[in-house]
Amino acid sequence: MILAIDIGGTKFSMAIFDGDRMVRRESRATHAEGGREWMVQQIAGIAGAWRGEYPLERCGIGFGGPVNFAAQRVVLSTHVGGWQDFDLCGFVRDAAGVPAVMDNDANVGAIGEAEFGAGRGYSPLFYMTLSTGIGGGIWQDGRLLRGADSYGGEIGHLTLRPDGPECLCGARGCLERMCCGLWLERDYGKSARELMQDAAFVRGYVVDLAQGLKAAIMLLNPARIVIGGGIAKAGDRLFLPLREELRRQITNWSAARIDVVPAELGDDSVLYGALSLARNPR
Ligand SMILES: [Zn+2]
């Protein structure tokens, strides 16, 4: 059996898979002040209980921040303190008693949707997580395209507005700064879920969002774009105006398809991807 862990900006989830079937799942809100210390203690508690109940073989992890895949180290988290250069795999190996492999959550979500969700049969596939933050994963011919240093696909920090507000990354006007859940709430005093109910707001919002996705379409000509994360749950309220705006922004001579759909696995894209990554680290 395989242990899957999804560490996000506002919550973390853990699951047990028996073959392709999820047989156990636990999700908890993160405790921002508790930082890394608090979260790894929670993970150790759950993993410690489960290792006595299930014959675990391996563990896969999706982490909500940049990961150096070759070195298997967390680079940092911009949302929760204390993660810099943390050996998360080593920690989980000790807590769960099985070898672990990790990548950033957008890459792992891309694997999940490519193998089990809305991306099945589509290559290249671009996956974007639209949640507390914004991340991206590029999937082609059965594997991830991570780039030379594991920083490929970081669509969240494309610049939309060079003179825009400062992003947590230090640059200005990034796609993440303009469109992610964390900043929507800070800028507008309402949750992304509430804002997505407001058609007038969404019409403006998709202009920024489409600018980011346009870059992925022009660079990669993906067979499909799958968007996961909490904001993607708005469904047609978001996706209909988004597709319309993309059609408007993308140059006429490009016959690149505009196939943008919500994730099929909902909150579990990363958990399914972690299952696949644990079986076949690639
Ligand atoms: Zn940024």
Side-chain angles (χ1 to χ4, degrees):
M1 292 189 176
I2 287 175
L3 174 64
I5 305 177
D6 170 13
I7 299 178
T10 53
K11 66 176 168 49
F12 74 94
S13 307
M14 295 173 67
I16 303 265
F17 285 91
D18 183 3
D20 288 349
R21 202 162 55 88
M22 193 186 287
V23 294
R24 189 84 183 254
R25 187 185 192 285
E26 175 111 20
S27 191
R28 292 183 190 171
T30 59
H31 171 35
E33 295 86 67
R36 169 178 65 85
E37 262 323 300
W38 178 87
M39 194 180 294
V40 297
Q41 274 169 26
Q42 299 282 311
I43 291 168
I46 296 169
W50 285 358
R51 71 187 284 192
E53 285 179 58
Y54 302 97
L56 299 178
E57 297 150 82
R58 268 188 273 275
C59 174
I61 306 168
F63 180 78
V67 166
N68 181 330
F69 185 76
Q72 284 292 294
R73 306 280 285 203
V74 168
V75 176
L76 57 87
S77 163
T78 52
H79 301 292
V80 185
W83 284 99
Q84 207 156 345
D85 197 35
F86 184 64
D87 181 15
L88 180 59
C89 287
F91 178 85
V92 170
R93 190 181 55 231
D94 293 342
V98 292
V101 58
M102 78 171 151
D103 201 345
N104 86 64
D105 58 353
N107 278 349
V108 177
I111 303 177
E113 288 293 326
E115 278 213 359
F116 300 101
R120 263 173 306 179
Y122 292 87
S123 175
L125 176 77
F126 186 71
Y127 172 81
M128 185 172 90
T129 167
L130 185 55
S131 176
T132 313
I134 293 180
I138 305 162
W139 174 268
Q140 182 163 25
D141 299 335
R143 57 185 298 264
L144 283 171
L145 201 107
R146 293 188 178 83
D149 306 297
S150 331
Y151 286 88
E154 283 287 359
I155 193 169
H157 302 284
L158 288 185
T159 302
L160 301 190
R161 300 183 193 176
D163 303 320
E166 199 173 315
C167 178
L168 290 179
C169 77
R172 289 188 171 277
C174 298
L175 174 65
E176 173 168 293
R177 176 63 187 81
M178 307 315 295
C179 293
C180 78
L182 177 88
W183 282 108
L184 287 180
E185 191 151 350
R186 287 191 192 171
D187 288 347
Y188 299 95
K190 286 183 185 171
S191 70
R193 183 199 292 261
E194 282 174 86
L195 290 167
M196 293 303 132
Q197 305 297 315
D198 177 350
F201 176 85
V202 173
R203 267 198 301 281
Y205 177 72
V206 295
V207 174
D208 284 341
L209 193 60
Q211 272 188 48
L213 289 172
K214 177 187 175 182
I217 291 173
M218 300 311 283
L219 274 178
L220 303 170
N221 185 195
R224 171 167 271 191
I225 293 176
V226 175
I227 305 182
I231 301 176
K233 288 183 189 166
D236 283 351
R237 284 170 185 280
L238 172 64
F239 283 82
L240 295 180
L242 175 60
R243 291 180 198 122
E244 205 174 290
E245 178 61 23
L246 277 166
R247 236 166 251 123
R248 200 182 66 77
Q249 286 187 19
I250 289 175
T251 180
N252 279 333
W253 56 253
S254 172
R257 65 184 82 183
I258 297 172
D259 181 347
V260 185
V261 299
E264 221 171 82
L265 301 169
D267 290 329
D268 294 339
S269 309
V270 177
L271 290 173
Y272 277 90
L275 160 70
S276 177
L277 184 70
R279 281 179 181 158
N280 181 12
R282 64 208 185 278

